[in-house]
Amino acid sequence: MNSSSMPSAPSPQWDPKTLIVAGGRPAHDTDAPVNYPVTFTSTYHSQGQAAAGERVYARFSNPTWDPFEEVLGQLEVADSPALVFSSGMAAIAAALNLVPAGGVLVMPKHSYNGSLALSSELQAAGRLSIRPVDIADTDDVIAALQGADVLWVESPTNPMLEVADLPVLLAEAKSRGVLSIVDNTFATPLLQRPLTLGADLVVHSVTKYLSGHSDVIMGALVTSDESLRQKLHGYRTLHGAISSPMDTFLALRGVRTMAVRIERSQKNSQVLAERLAAHPKVQAVRYPGLEQDPGHERATRLMDGYGSVIAFQAGQDAAQADQLVAAFELITGATSLGGVETLAERRARHASEPETVPENLIRLSVGIEEVEDLWRDLQQALEQL
Ligand SMILES: *Cc1c(COP(=O)(O)O)cnc(C)c1O
């Protein structure tokens, strides 16, 4: 590397909200670009050397990944940079591959449906066996850890918004030699840093809050264990689920504004959750920021905010809940979450959703619009029920 391509060293004193803006930048040299360029290449000059350089081939490494991996690693307070993947599911597939052959995987029954579908497929193939747990029920999870190989945690869960007692579960897993993996997509490292609580590995769907604009599909893994990172890097190289340079550039561009996006969307979420809870046509609301929510005490103790996803039940059945989503004018009826725009979806429309997710449960991913416009839209749609 020449001096203009050396990264600026992040200051250990930087707050995470500063780190996302200032980390992963070229050094402050005259004429150095403020952002790293996007590198479109499939291979690297090796000058005929028998011992190739570090990059070799673009399935092994790409300089465009480096700043994003560095920033995400620092945000999760890891000793090593993150590893980017082509999607959250590609990262999850790499993580699930850590379960030894015939091993036992403890998994929340309300995990992201892709994680459930993939682990069920592995179970059907005889690769592993799943012990489903209620992740909010600490005793249930601890009992399931006996003789297990891997603990999978989501908190808050998608879409039920249950909150786990993360430090207790991770300590219990560690004391039993159970590898712990946390899907931190909902909370983001701004609200919760599982590696600091004892997790071995963190999984992200970068598609959501990290990139933040519903224009990228990408995933990441983060660990402080260098040998585990090497193993996962090897998996990524061999299985080939790498992130495209353009997507990685967009994700880094998106992460720059994550703190202000989350600040705003959380504020909107609190207002909307309170008003939904008081609305006569809404039967139930789950949002950890509500004082009456079963996850409120834990979320207050363990997280630096309550996030921006609300789950609520409205309408007598699936058809009425679908009608409600169809009646939105500003809010977009679409799957996914974590973007600047508010999205709503009846989750049980997916056949892969767990049966315990109510038919009329709507997941609202709250964006950064003016909250009164969002409320007007929710109100007019609810009044049509
Ligand atoms: C979306 C999501 C995933 C999957 O990520 P993709 O980028 O869509 O592959 C995994 N976990 C959670 C919690 C998610 O919300």
Side-chain angles (χ1 to χ4, degrees):
M1 272 189 183
N2 61 38
S3 68
S4 68
S5 66
M6 289 286 279
S8 53
S11 162
Q13 286 129 44
W14 284 347
D15 183 273
K17 296 191 282 300
T18 303
L19 180 65
I20 58 172
V21 177
R25 301 268 191 193
H28 293 187
D29 293 337
T30 303
D31 289 341
V34 170
N35 295 292
Y36 282 109
V38 185
T39 302
F40 293 109
T41 192
S42 62
T43 191
Y44 304 93
H45 284 281
S46 64
Q47 319 289 50
Q49 294 168 47
E54 277 175 25
R55 298 231 177 254
V56 188
Y57 185 58
R59 180 158 36 77
F60 306 172
S61 77
N62 186 306
T64 314
W65 300 341
D66 299 351
F68 184 88
E69 291 184 334
E70 182 184 303
V71 169
L72 183 56
Q74 287 162 356
L75 277 178
E76 289 287 6
V77 201
D79 297 336
S80 313
L83 287 166
V84 292
F85 285 77
S86 56
S87 65
M89 281 310 300
I92 286 167
L96 284 174
N97 190 53
L98 296 170
V99 181
V104 172
L105 170 68
V106 176
M107 192 169 220
K109 57 182 183 224
H110 291 142
S111 299
Y112 174 67
N113 65 19
S115 312
L116 290 173
L118 180 55
S119 53
S120 300
E121 203 175 281
L122 293 169
Q123 179 171 253
R127 170 72 179 72
L128 52 79
S129 67
I130 306 167
R131 276 188 200 157
V133 290
D134 172 355
I135 204 69
D137 183 343
T138 304
D139 293 339
D140 184 26
V141 182
I142 291 173
L145 286 176
Q146 201 53 47
D149 296 284
V150 172
L151 168 65
W152 192 274
V153 184
E154 250 186 56
S155 183
T157 57
N158 181 3
M160 301 296 275
L161 297 166
E162 295 133 332
V163 181
D165 197 338
L166 210 53
V168 171
L169 299 186
L170 296 174
E172 294 285 341
K174 185 156 279 195
S175 73
R176 290 168 174 76
V178 175
L179 187 87
S180 57
I181 303 175
V182 179
D183 183 335
N184 205 26
T185 301
F186 265 44
T188 85
L190 290 182
L191 307 186
Q192 170 171 285
R193 290 154 297 278
L195 296 179
T196 67
L197 305 173
D200 294 304
L201 184 64
V202 164
V203 178
H204 279 288
S205 170
V206 176
T207 311
K208 315 294 168 54
Y209 292 99
L210 288 163
S211 66
H213 295 75
S214 305
D215 53 6
V216 166
I217 294 277
M218 199 173 128
L221 294 176
V222 200
T223 180
S224 282
D225 179 335
E226 192 46 40
S227 72
L228 183 58
R229 188 180 187 276
Q230 285 302 322
K231 191 171 165 176
L232 293 164
H233 183 275
Y235 176 98
R236 181 180 70 178
T237 298
L238 203 55
H239 289 247
I242 55 164
S243 183
S244 93
M246 197 62 213
D247 286 348
T248 315
F249 172 83
L250 284 172
L252 182 61
R253 190 186 208 264
V255 91
R256 302 291 183 208
T257 57
M258 183 166 65
V260 286
R261 284 189 279 108
I262 288 182
E263 191 180 310
R264 168 70 167 242
S265 61
Q266 283 194 139
K267 242 185 228 164
N268 286 352
S269 300
Q270 188 69 36
V271 172
L272 297 179
E274 283 171 13
R275 290 185 189 176
L276 283 169
H279 196 286
K281 295 213 168 146
V282 173
Q283 294 139 21
V285 181
R286 282 301 306 257
Y287 180 66
L290 292 175
E291 267 174 43
Q292 67 271 27
D293 191 87
H296 181 68
E297 178 277 324
R298 266 187 204 157
T300 305
R301 186 160 48 85
L302 302 175
M303 296 171 68
D304 295 332
Y306 302 113
S308 316
V309 179
I310 299 170
F312 70 97
Q313 285 174 253
Q316 294 314 309
D317 51 25
Q320 280 200 355
D322 282 336
Q323 181 197 320
L324 178 73
V325 173
F328 291 139
E329 290 164 3
L330 167 63
I331 297 167
T332 302
T335 195
S336 199
L337 56 109
V340 290
E341 66 292 302
T342 300
L343 303 181
E345 174 184 41
R346 185 176 72 81
R347 282 303 286 178
R349 74 188 175 114
H350 299 286
S352 54
E353 202 68 358
E355 276 174 18
T356 42
V357 172
E359 279 291 331
N360 66 347
L361 181 133
I362 293 165
R363 186 183 70 188
L364 191 67
S365 168
V366 179
I368 65 169
E369 301 92 336
E370 167 57 41
V371 69
E372 296 306 334
D373 289 328
L374 291 172
W375 179 242
R376 248 198 311 278
D377 198 27
L378 281 162
Q379 254 185 326
Q380 66 79 21
L382 283 165
E383 267 152 32
Q384 291 180 44
L385 280 183

